Every structure is written in C-alpha cells, then in structure tokens.
Short mmCIF file of all heavy atoms in Angstrom, two decimals:
data_model
loop_
_atom_site.label_atom_id
_atom_site.label_comp_id
_atom_site.label_asym_id
_atom_site.label_seq_id
_atom_site.Cartn_x
_atom_site.Cartn_y
_atom_site.Cartn_z
N LEU W 1 0.83 -1.20 0.00
CA LEU W 1 0.00 0.00 0.00
C LEU W 1 0.87 1.25 0.00
O LEU W 1 1.89 1.29 0.71
CB LEU W 1 -0.91 0.02 1.25
CG LEU W 1 -2.03 -1.02 1.30
CD1 LEU W 1 -2.61 -1.10 2.71
CD2 LEU W 1 -3.12 -0.71 0.29
N PRO W 2 0.50 2.29 -0.78
CA PRO W 2 1.25 3.55 -0.75
C PRO W 2 1.26 4.13 0.65
O PRO W 2 0.29 3.99 1.40
CB PRO W 2 0.46 4.44 -1.73
CG PRO W 2 -0.31 3.50 -2.59
CD PRO W 2 -0.63 2.32 -1.73
N GLY W 3 2.37 4.79 1.00
CA GLY W 3 2.56 5.29 2.35
C GLY W 3 1.44 6.16 2.88
O GLY W 3 0.94 5.96 4.00
N LYS W 4 1.01 7.15 2.08
CA LYS W 4 -0.04 8.06 2.54
C LYS W 4 -1.37 7.34 2.73
O LYS W 4 -2.11 7.59 3.68
CB LYS W 4 -0.21 9.22 1.55
CG LYS W 4 0.95 10.20 1.55
CD LYS W 4 0.70 11.37 0.61
CE LYS W 4 1.86 12.36 0.64
NZ LYS W 4 1.65 13.48 -0.31
N GLN W 5 -1.66 6.43 1.81
CA GLN W 5 -2.90 5.67 1.90
C GLN W 5 -2.89 4.76 3.13
O GLN W 5 -3.89 4.66 3.85
CB GLN W 5 -3.12 4.83 0.64
CG GLN W 5 -4.46 4.11 0.62
CD GLN W 5 -4.64 3.29 -0.65
OE1 GLN W 5 -3.70 3.04 -1.39
NE2 GLN W 5 -5.87 2.89 -0.91
N LEU W 6 -1.74 4.13 3.39
CA LEU W 6 -1.64 3.27 4.56
C LEU W 6 -1.79 4.08 5.84
O LEU W 6 -2.50 3.65 6.77
CB LEU W 6 -0.29 2.55 4.54
CG LEU W 6 0.03 1.67 5.76
CD1 LEU W 6 -1.04 0.60 5.96
CD2 LEU W 6 1.41 1.04 5.62
N ALA W 7 -1.15 5.25 5.90
CA ALA W 7 -1.26 6.10 7.10
C ALA W 7 -2.71 6.49 7.36
O ALA W 7 -3.18 6.48 8.52
CB ALA W 7 -0.38 7.34 6.94
N LYS W 8 -3.43 6.83 6.29
CA LYS W 8 -4.84 7.21 6.43
C LYS W 8 -5.68 6.02 6.90
O LYS W 8 -6.57 6.16 7.76
CB LYS W 8 -5.37 7.73 5.10
CG LYS W 8 -6.81 8.26 5.18
CD LYS W 8 -7.27 8.80 3.84
CE LYS W 8 -8.70 9.32 3.94
NZ LYS W 8 -9.21 9.79 2.63
N MET W 9 -5.39 4.83 6.35
CA MET W 9 -6.14 3.63 6.75
C MET W 9 -5.90 3.29 8.22
O MET W 9 -6.82 2.87 8.92
CB MET W 9 -5.72 2.45 5.87
CG MET W 9 -6.28 2.49 4.46
SD MET W 9 -5.73 1.06 3.49
CE MET W 9 -6.79 1.21 2.05
N ILE W 10 -4.65 3.47 8.67
CA ILE W 10 -4.34 3.20 10.08
C ILE W 10 -5.05 4.21 10.97
O ILE W 10 -5.61 3.87 12.02
CB ILE W 10 -2.82 3.22 10.31
CG1 ILE W 10 -2.17 2.01 9.61
CG2 ILE W 10 -2.48 3.22 11.79
CD1 ILE W 10 -0.66 2.00 9.65
N GLU W 11 -5.06 5.48 10.54
CA GLU W 11 -5.73 6.53 11.31
C GLU W 11 -7.23 6.26 11.42
O GLU W 11 -7.85 6.48 12.46
CB GLU W 11 -5.49 7.89 10.64
CG GLU W 11 -6.05 9.06 11.41
CD GLU W 11 -5.80 10.40 10.70
OE1 GLU W 11 -4.99 10.42 9.75
OE2 GLU W 11 -6.41 11.39 11.10
N GLU W 12 -7.83 5.76 10.31
CA GLU W 12 -9.27 5.49 10.30
C GLU W 12 -9.60 4.10 10.83
O GLU W 12 -10.76 3.70 10.85
CB GLU W 12 -9.79 5.63 8.87
CG GLU W 12 -9.68 7.04 8.30
CD GLU W 12 -10.04 7.11 6.83
OE1 GLU W 12 -10.15 6.03 6.19
OE2 GLU W 12 -10.22 8.23 6.32
N LYS W 13 -8.57 3.34 11.23
CA LYS W 13 -8.71 1.97 11.75
C LYS W 13 -9.28 1.00 10.71
O LYS W 13 -9.88 -0.02 11.05
CB LYS W 13 -9.54 1.95 13.03
CG LYS W 13 -8.86 2.66 14.19
CD LYS W 13 -9.53 2.34 15.50
CE LYS W 13 -8.80 3.01 16.67
NZ LYS W 13 -7.42 2.54 16.83
N THR W 14 -9.09 1.34 9.42
CA THR W 14 -9.38 0.36 8.37
C THR W 14 -8.31 -0.71 8.39
O THR W 14 -8.56 -1.87 8.06
CB THR W 14 -9.40 1.05 6.99
OG1 THR W 14 -10.34 2.13 7.02
CG2 THR W 14 -9.80 0.08 5.89
N VAL W 15 -7.09 -0.30 8.78
CA VAL W 15 -6.00 -1.24 9.02
C VAL W 15 -5.59 -1.09 10.48
O VAL W 15 -5.31 0.02 10.94
CB VAL W 15 -4.79 -0.96 8.11
CG1 VAL W 15 -3.60 -1.82 8.52
CG2 VAL W 15 -5.15 -1.23 6.66
N GLU W 16 -5.60 -2.21 11.20
CA GLU W 16 -5.26 -2.20 12.62
C GLU W 16 -4.10 -3.14 12.88
O GLU W 16 -4.10 -4.26 12.37
CB GLU W 16 -6.46 -2.69 13.43
CG GLU W 16 -7.07 -1.65 14.34
CD GLU W 16 -8.19 -2.26 15.18
OE1 GLU W 16 -9.28 -2.46 14.63
OE2 GLU W 16 -7.93 -2.54 16.37
N ILE W 17 -3.14 -2.70 13.66
CA ILE W 17 -2.03 -3.55 14.07
C ILE W 17 -1.97 -3.49 15.59
O ILE W 17 -1.79 -2.42 16.16
CB ILE W 17 -0.70 -3.09 13.45
CG1 ILE W 17 -0.81 -3.10 11.92
CG2 ILE W 17 0.44 -3.98 13.90
CD1 ILE W 17 0.42 -2.59 11.22
N ALA W 18 -2.17 -4.64 16.24
CA ALA W 18 -2.28 -4.63 17.70
C ALA W 18 -1.71 -5.91 18.29
O ALA W 18 -1.77 -6.97 17.67
CB ALA W 18 -3.74 -4.47 18.10
N PRO W 19 -1.18 -5.83 19.52
CA PRO W 19 -0.72 -7.05 20.20
C PRO W 19 -1.88 -8.01 20.46
O PRO W 19 -3.04 -7.59 20.58
CB PRO W 19 -0.14 -6.52 21.52
CG PRO W 19 0.10 -5.07 21.30
CD PRO W 19 -0.94 -4.62 20.32
N LEU W 20 -1.56 -9.27 20.57
CA LEU W 20 -2.58 -10.29 20.78
C LEU W 20 -3.42 -10.03 22.03
O LEU W 20 -4.63 -10.25 22.03
CB LEU W 20 -1.89 -11.66 20.89
CG LEU W 20 -2.76 -12.87 21.21
CD1 LEU W 20 -3.86 -13.03 20.17
CD2 LEU W 20 -1.91 -14.13 21.28
N ALA W 21 -2.80 -9.52 23.08
CA ALA W 21 -3.52 -9.27 24.34
C ALA W 21 -4.67 -8.28 24.16
O ALA W 21 -5.63 -8.29 24.93
CB ALA W 21 -2.54 -8.77 25.40
N PHE W 22 -4.59 -7.43 23.11
CA PHE W 22 -5.62 -6.41 22.89
C PHE W 22 -6.86 -6.98 22.20
O PHE W 22 -7.84 -6.26 22.00
CB PHE W 22 -5.07 -5.27 22.04
CG PHE W 22 -4.09 -4.38 22.77
CD1 PHE W 22 -3.44 -4.79 23.92
CD2 PHE W 22 -3.80 -3.11 22.29
CE1 PHE W 22 -2.53 -3.98 24.58
CE2 PHE W 22 -2.90 -2.28 22.94
CZ PHE W 22 -2.26 -2.73 24.09
N MET W 23 -6.82 -8.27 21.81
CA MET W 23 -7.94 -8.86 21.08
C MET W 23 -9.05 -9.36 21.99
O MET W 23 -10.16 -9.62 21.54
CB MET W 23 -7.45 -10.04 20.23
CG MET W 23 -6.48 -9.67 19.12
SD MET W 23 -7.24 -8.65 17.83
CE MET W 23 -6.45 -7.07 18.18
N ARG W 24 -8.78 -9.51 23.27
CA ARG W 24 -9.76 -10.09 24.19
C ARG W 24 -11.04 -9.25 24.22
O ARG W 24 -11.00 -8.03 24.26
CB ARG W 24 -9.17 -10.19 25.60
CG ARG W 24 -10.07 -10.95 26.58
CD ARG W 24 -9.37 -11.17 27.90
NE ARG W 24 -8.19 -12.04 27.78
CZ ARG W 24 -8.25 -13.35 27.72
NH1 ARG W 24 -9.42 -13.98 27.75
NH2 ARG W 24 -7.14 -14.05 27.61
N GLY W 25 -12.18 -9.93 24.17
CA GLY W 25 -13.47 -9.27 24.28
C GLY W 25 -14.02 -8.74 22.97
O GLY W 25 -15.16 -8.27 22.93
N ARG W 26 -13.26 -8.82 21.89
CA ARG W 26 -13.72 -8.27 20.62
C ARG W 26 -14.37 -9.36 19.76
O ARG W 26 -14.08 -10.54 19.90
CB ARG W 26 -12.55 -7.67 19.84
CG ARG W 26 -11.85 -6.55 20.56
CD ARG W 26 -10.74 -5.96 19.70
NE ARG W 26 -11.25 -5.34 18.49
CZ ARG W 26 -10.48 -4.78 17.56
NH1 ARG W 26 -9.17 -4.77 17.71
NH2 ARG W 26 -11.00 -4.24 16.48
N THR W 27 -15.26 -8.94 18.87
CA THR W 27 -15.77 -9.81 17.81
C THR W 27 -15.36 -9.18 16.50
O THR W 27 -15.72 -8.03 16.21
CB THR W 27 -17.31 -9.94 17.87
OG1 THR W 27 -17.67 -10.50 19.13
CG2 THR W 27 -17.82 -10.84 16.75
#
C-alpha cells in the first residue's frame, strides 16, 4: 500500500495492528 494511503487507513482503523492481548473481548 502507498505510504499516505496506509497512514490514512491506520488513522481510520481500516488497518489495525495490535498485540494479541488487545484482542480479548472483541468480535
């Protein structure tokens, strides 16, 4: 993904990167 597009997706949470411990309780 182009840098600017990726940054925007991360900001909008279209792309999420998180540690495994943060997944608890989510669907």
